[in-house]
Amino acid sequence: MKAMTTALGAAVMMAALAAPAGADFVRLGSVDVGYRVDSDTAYTRFGGRLESLRLIASRSDILCRSVIVRYENGDVQNVFSGRLDERRPVDVDRRGRARRVDSIRFVCRSDGFRGGKIFVEGEVGHFRDEWRSDRS
């Protein structure tokens, strides 16, 4: 029993160390989302490679039919579909690490009368200097 408790404690500690609690996320920008009509909106202002992407809904919950990432090399990937709850960050699933993103296409809608907004954040991590120089 003691060995199982020790193993469980070690697993929890390893998970905490692997979690991106100290992740270096930077707010890159945002897109507006319309009321009850799927709108097709793109975000294209990227600079440098990113380790991961995060989306945050603001002003309302947002339902996305698709969120599609186009990489600089031409590859395309649907990274998210579903509900973005207001003010709850969602880390999107991208292939590989440290890929250069060319654009993100959102097909999303808000059920809030005033519409909503999706904030795009990127984890720049080891690429902070590259990201800063590419954005200037």
Side-chain angles (χ1 to χ4, degrees), residues 6-116:
T6 302
L8 180 60
V12 168
M13 286 179 60
M14 291 300 288
L17 291 174
D24 195 8
F25 280 94
V26 174
R27 182 154 293 169
L28 302 174
S30 64
V31 293
D32 291 320
V33 178
Y35 171 62
R36 289 199 176 175
V37 176
D38 285 339
S39 57
D40 190 340
T41 310
Y43 181 81
T44 59
R45 295 186 57 226
F46 291 95
R49 291 177 285 177
L50 300 171
E51 293 183 5
S52 64
L53 285 171
R54 175 182 286 172
L55 307 175
I56 303 171
S58 178
R59 297 196 316 238
S60 75
D61 295 339
I62 295 173
L63 183 60
C64 292
R65 209 177 280 245
S66 63
V67 176
I68 298 171
V69 171
R70 177 177 295 278
Y71 299 99
E72 185 180 53
N73 67 1
D75 288 352
V76 175
Q77 178 187 9
N78 186 9
V79 296
F80 180 80
S81 61
R83 182 184 175 108
L84 291 171
D85 293 328
E86 184 177 12
R87 292 187 299 266
R88 282 188 119 165
V90 173
D91 294 332
V92 297
D93 183 25
R94 295 183 10 213
R95 282 193 293 262
R97 299 278 291 165
R99 306 265 316 258
R100 191 177 289 268
V101 174
D102 187 46
S103 67
I104 303 177
R105 189 174 135 232
F106 296 87
V107 179
C108 302
R109 68 180 162 95
S110 167
D111 285 333
F113 182 71
R114 292 183 3 239

